[in-house]
Amino acid sequence: MNINTNNYSIMEIINMLDRRELIVNTDYQRGSGLWPAGPSSYFIDTILEGYPFPKIYMYEYLDRSARGMRKEIVDGQQRIKTIVRYHQNEFALQHEARNAGLRFRDLDLETQERFLSYPVSVDVIRNASRSEILQMFRRMNAYTLPLNEAEKRHSSFEGKFKWFINELADELNEFFVAFGVFTNRQIVRMADAELLTDCVLAMERGVISTSPTDLRNTYRLYDNEFVHAEMYRSLINLTFGFIGHELGALRGTHMMKPYALHSLFTALAHLRFGFGQIAEQFRVPPFGAFSAAPNAAENLLALAQAHEAKEVDGPFAKYVWGCLAGTNRAPRRTARVAAILRALGAEVPPEVDAYLT
């Protein structure tokens, strides 16, 4: 078995398909049907923006009846089908893309040419039996890391909520890395998607304990329709934008631990936009502003420093307790959110967290 790496332009691949030099063998297809609108649009936008996507695998063999060489797509069929469908004007890009609302025919000539000349990385398998091809993929998969819970959710769902989270994570990944929330590797493994899903749950259900099942159920609930997508996108971006522009002193501190940032987001977003469950739980109405405290950044930095020093007996003992273990459980989250609300100028009644610690 020989494997040769090639780059084919999209135009070359389309021409090979038209000439029947390249065919789709559904025996290799892992899933049926076409990608829905969301992932199709996101994939085409990936190409138009010049980002790479995983390589395609083709099997080349001698077709004796046609007295010529043929290639079969053995991995990457949905990607190739999506490219062809877009080229044939079967769908338009969705509103999240730069060229939103445009089919291929609507793109300007320069963008069309960039699309057609995009280089697709292809490994061409030659001199191999079909059993060797199957064994090759089995061996490749044997060295793949097991999927974590966030990756499992993204591999199991193809609907509205998945693509909402995916696109939102793209918009915020620079913030997450710059502020020390996640490493590049954690983002690749979708830790940011998990945090953002948990933020949506806080907006909808208040301060609660969450588990992988809760997050998965959110994907399932909004798989077919997610009517709040644009409102939530704006709210989340504005809140993280406030952190980035006004709370820069927190960069790289313990307030940027994902669980602490989740509580900071919950408190800030409630004070600015108002969530019924949070208002009821903490007896704090929204301000219509992210903070009413002129020294909010200093107050939050003091919480982060107490957390880092593990000051369990200091003035921020309840906040520190909320950061030490079981950080996704409701009592710990309650302690953190209450302390952060106070740091932002809210008057949280003592009885709200009196039972903590």
Side-chain angles (χ1 to χ4, degrees):
M1 178 172 61
N2 297 320
I3 300 176
N4 301 108
T5 299
N6 297 273
N7 280 325
Y8 293 114
S9 70
I10 283 177
M11 189 75 261
E12 288 177 302
I13 291 175
I14 290 172
N15 288 338
M16 285 192 289
L17 288 165
D18 289 342
R19 294 192 299 263
R20 298 286 297 166
E21 294 173 4
L22 176 64
I23 61 176
V24 175
N25 185 338
T26 56
D27 289 344
Y28 296 108
Q29 188 70 35
R30 287 176 292 182
S32 59
L34 302 173
W35 277 345
S40 295
S41 177
Y42 189 81
F43 176 65
I44 296 301
D45 188 58
T46 295
I47 294 172
L48 293 176
E49 293 297 321
Y51 292 107
F53 61 80
K55 66 176 61 177
I56 304 294
Y57 286 87
M58 298 179 183
Y59 170 47
E60 185 177 84
Y61 63 97
L62 176 64
D63 185 343
R64 298 184 184 279
S65 62
R67 297 183 180 181
M69 302 303 293
R70 290 281 187 272
K71 292 183 179 69
E72 293 179 346
I73 304 169
V74 297
D75 189 70
Q77 292 180 25
Q78 287 181 312
R79 281 166 278 168
I80 295 299
K81 286 180 179 179
T82 303
I83 287 170
V84 172
R85 288 172 54 230
Y86 187 68
H87 182 249
Q88 293 176 346
N89 302 300
E90 292 184 17
F91 65 92
L93 299 182
Q94 295 194 339
H95 59 273
E96 296 85 359
R98 186 195 300 265
N99 296 286
L102 303 184
R103 298 175 188 268
F104 178 78
R105 65 182 175 230
D106 303 318
L107 300 173
D108 60 63
L109 290 178
E110 182 180 348
T111 306
Q112 287 185 359
E113 290 174 2
R114 189 166 67 249
F115 177 80
L116 293 174
S117 62
Y118 178 95
V120 179
S121 180
V122 177
D123 274 1
V124 180
I125 307 163
R126 299 183 173 95
N127 302 320
S129 66
R130 296 185 185 275
S131 64
E132 287 176 316
I133 294 172
L134 295 174
Q135 184 177 157
M136 180 189 81
F137 283 107
R138 184 165 58 249
R139 287 172 180 262
M140 288 169 59
N141 291 334
Y143 295 99
T144 301
L145 287 172
L147 297 181
N148 61 36
E149 292 296 335
E151 291 166 328
K152 288 177 183 177
R153 288 190 290 274
H154 271 241
S155 66
S156 300
F157 296 93
E158 288 293 344
K160 300 290 186 180
F161 191 78
K162 166 186 171 170
W163 292 101
F164 164 78
I165 290 293
N166 203 65
E167 290 153 6
L168 189 59
D170 282 350
E171 295 167 12
L172 291 171
N173 60 20
E174 187 174 339
F175 166 85
F176 288 138
V177 172
F179 270 66
V181 183
F182 298 114
T183 64
N184 289 321
R185 177 155 182 79
Q186 287 172 320
I187 286 179
V188 168
R189 301 216 65 190
M190 312 200 79
D192 53 346
E194 182 160 313
L195 172 62
L196 291 169
T197 305
D198 219 343
C199 286
V200 170
L201 278 173
M203 292 159 56
E204 295 194 335
R205 297 170 59 189
V207 175
I208 59 169
S209 300
T210 57
S211 67
T213 300
D214 294 309
L215 302 183
R216 185 178 183 85
N217 286 342
T218 304
Y219 275 71
R220 180 179 293 109
L221 176 65
Y222 295 125
D223 198 43
N224 294 324
E225 192 61 51
F226 187 38
V227 297
H228 299 308
E230 284 312 299
M231 180 179 70
Y232 284 6
R233 181 194 305 278
S234 174
L235 187 157
I236 292 170
N237 274 319
L238 285 170
T239 304
F240 281 109
F242 176 82
I243 297 171
H245 289 104
E246 304 297 331
L247 301 177
L250 300 178
R251 182 192 302 255
T253 70
H254 274 48
M255 188 61 72
M256 292 298 108
K257 297 288 185 183
Y259 53 87
L261 179 58
H262 176 268
S263 295
L264 177 61
F265 167 85
T266 302
L268 285 169
H270 167 65
L271 292 180
R272 172 65 176 83
F273 303 104
F275 306 136
Q277 292 288 347
I278 302 293
E280 183 177 338
Q281 287 175 305
F282 293 88
R283 303 176 198 174
V284 172
F287 294 159
F290 287 113
S291 174
N295 56 343
E298 295 175 15
N299 295 341
L300 293 168
L301 185 58
L303 290 176
Q305 290 170 341
H307 175 195
E308 183 176 12
K310 295 184 173 60
E311 296 176 0
V312 295
D313 297 320
F316 307 118
K318 289 181 180 178
Y319 177 81
V320 173
W321 175 84
C323 296
L324 294 182
T327 52
N328 65 334
R329 311 316 297 167
R332 306 280 181 168
R333 285 178 165 174
T334 298
R336 296 197 304 267
V337 172
I340 292 171
L341 284 170
R342 292 182 179 117
L344 295 171
E347 295 184 8
V348 182
E351 58 267 26
V352 167
D353 55 355
Y355 69 97
L356 301 175
T357 73

